[in-house]
Amino acid sequence: MQNGQIDVKAEANDFAAEIGGVDLAAGFSEETFRAIRGAITRHKVLVFRDQHLDDDAHLAFAERFGPLEGHINTATRHDRLPKIQVFQNVDQAGEPTGVHPERGTLVWHTDKSYVARPSLFTILRSPSVAKTGGETLFADMARAYGALAGPAVQRLDGLRAVHDWKRSREKSDERPATAAEIAAAPPVDHPLVRTHPDTGARTLYMGNHASHILDMDRAEGEALLADLERHATQDKFIYRHRWRDNDVLLWDNRCTMHCVMPYDAAKERRIVRRAVVQGDPPG
Ligand SMILES: [Fe+2]
C-alpha cells in the first residue's frame, strides 16, 4: 500500500508494519515524516529494513519525534553520545562474552515505565543480530485491553500500578539497583489502563517494571498483574520480530510491551543500539 511517500506493508492484524521507500540515513521531507508518524499511530511497531545508519544519523532520526532522554543505567551509555545506549554481548575483540547485557530486556516490559514521564517511542537498530533466537516480541496492549470483557474491565479502571526500577531488577535477576539509580528513579504510580492521546484507545499499561497495585493487598496486586500479562501475551496479540542485520525498529511504548527471546550469548553476536523519545505522564 502506498501512503504518501512511503510503502506500508502491514501484518495481517494491522499490528506492526514494514516500511519501505525511505532511506533514513539520507534524511527525508516533512511529508514523509508525517506519513511515518501516521503509520506508527496506526500500527504501533514499524520495521525499516536495510538501513545503514551510524550513531549520529540514528540520533538525528530519533530527534525528529521529540526530545530524547538518557538512561539511569550508565553501564550501557554510548561513550560520545549519551542519548544512545549500546546493548551488546561482545568484548573489545568482537568475541561473544557469554553474557546478555541486560536481563531486564528478556522479560515483558514497556520502556522506562518506572519514571514519571515514561518513554514515548523507542528507536532500536541492529548492526549485528543473533542468527538463532534473539527475536523481539511485541504485545498489542490496546487489543489486549479490548478483548477483556465484563466485570473484569470495570475492576481495572481506576486502579494504579506502582512501577519500581529497584524491584524490576530483582524480578529479572539483574544486578541490584545502585543507590544512585534508586535515588534517580524512586517508585512511581501510573494508571493501569491509560488512554492513548493520539487515538483515544484504552490500553493496558504494565509489564515487569510494575511491581504491585496501589492500595491493594500486595499479593493480590501481583497476582492481578500476572493474570493480565498472561492474557496480553497470548499469540493473537503478538508480533514476533525476526531481526536482520541493519534493521531499524520504531515502537510506541504507550500501547505495547516487548521482550527479547533467549539466544546463545556465548556463540551469537548480538549488538543493538537504542535512542528513546521522552513521553508525557500517562493519563
Ligand atoms: Fe525495552
Side-chain angles (χ1 to χ4, degrees):
M1 181 178 76
Q2 193 77 24
N3 180 5
Q5 296 185 2
I6 60 174
D7 295 319
V8 180
K9 192 169 79 182
E11 293 291 306
N13 60 8
D14 236 19
F15 180 49
E18 191 170 314
I19 304 298
V22 58
D23 177 354
L24 301 181
F28 45 80
S29 68
E30 188 60 26
E31 183 188 1
T32 298
F33 173 74
R34 281 198 298 273
I36 293 172
R37 196 67 179 72
I40 187 68
T41 301
R42 174 165 179 168
H43 302 291
K44 306 183 179 83
V45 181
L46 301 184
V47 178
F48 302 81
R49 301 283 193 187
D50 301 318
Q51 300 289 334
H52 296 274
L53 300 178
D54 60 16
D55 293 324
D56 292 285
H58 185 165
L59 212 54
F61 174 56
E63 283 174 335
R64 296 288 293 260
F65 296 90
L68 305 185
E69 59 189 20
H71 198 282
I72 58 173
N73 183 358
T74 57
T76 52
R77 191 175 289 170
H78 190 287
D79 291 340
R80 180 173 59 85
L81 303 168
K83 298 290 173 62
I84 295 273
Q85 269 186 289
V86 181
F87 298 98
Q88 60 186 29
N89 70 324
V90 297
D91 59 22
Q92 294 207 330
E95 294 304 316
T97 60
V99 179
H100 179 69
E102 170 57 69
R103 296 189 61 78
T105 64
L106 298 170
V107 291
W108 286 104
H109 66 284
T110 176
D111 286 338
K112 295 188 68 173
S113 63
Y114 51 83
V115 296
R117 295 168 62 100
S119 307
L120 174 56
F121 298 128
T122 298
I123 297 96
L124 192 72
R125 83 180 207 271
S126 60
S128 179
V129 297
K131 303 306 175 225
T132 304
E135 304 95 333
T136 299
L137 271 52
F138 291 90
D140 184 337
M141 302 304 276
R143 282 191 68 216
Y145 176 77
L148 292 169
V153 187
Q154 288 151 20
R155 179 171 177 234
L156 302 182
D157 286 334
L159 294 181
R160 298 184 70 84
V162 176
H163 296 245
D164 182 349
W165 166 259
K166 176 174 178 286
R167 179 68 187 131
S168 176
R169 308 285 293 177
E170 294 166 358
K171 286 196 294 181
S172 60
D173 200 23
E174 251 295 350
R175 63 150 178 84
T178 65
E181 289 170 354
I182 294 168
V188 296
D189 54 89
H190 297 303
L192 181 58
V193 182
R194 64 183 293 184
T195 303
H196 195 291
D198 297 337
T199 64
R202 302 278 283 158
T203 172
L204 288 170
Y205 192 64
M206 38 177 284
N208 190 60
H209 302 314
S211 62
H212 60 285
I213 303 294
L214 196 66
D215 298 329
M216 183 184 285
D217 172 79
R218 181 101 190 190
E220 190 184 343
E222 290 172 349
L224 174 60
L225 289 168
D227 278 350
L228 289 172
E229 181 170 308
R230 271 192 295 277
H231 166 75
T233 57
Q234 297 175 76
D235 284 348
K236 61 186 175 182
F237 302 130
I238 298 293
Y239 165 66
R240 175 183 288 259
H241 183 68
R242 293 179 176 82
W243 289 92
R244 298 180 200 159
D245 291 353
N246 302 312
D247 281 351
V248 173
L249 257 63
L250 164 65
W251 67 81
D252 187 337
N253 284 293
R254 297 169 295 186
C255 49
T256 60
M257 288 198 301
H258 59 278
C259 68
V260 178
M261 291 287 95
Y263 60 99
D264 188 342
K267 290 184 179 165
E268 300 267 15
R269 292 175 182 76
R270 188 175 194 274
I271 303 171
V272 297
R273 294 176 175 239
R274 176 173 100 155
V276 182
V277 179
Q278 189 178 63
D280 295 316

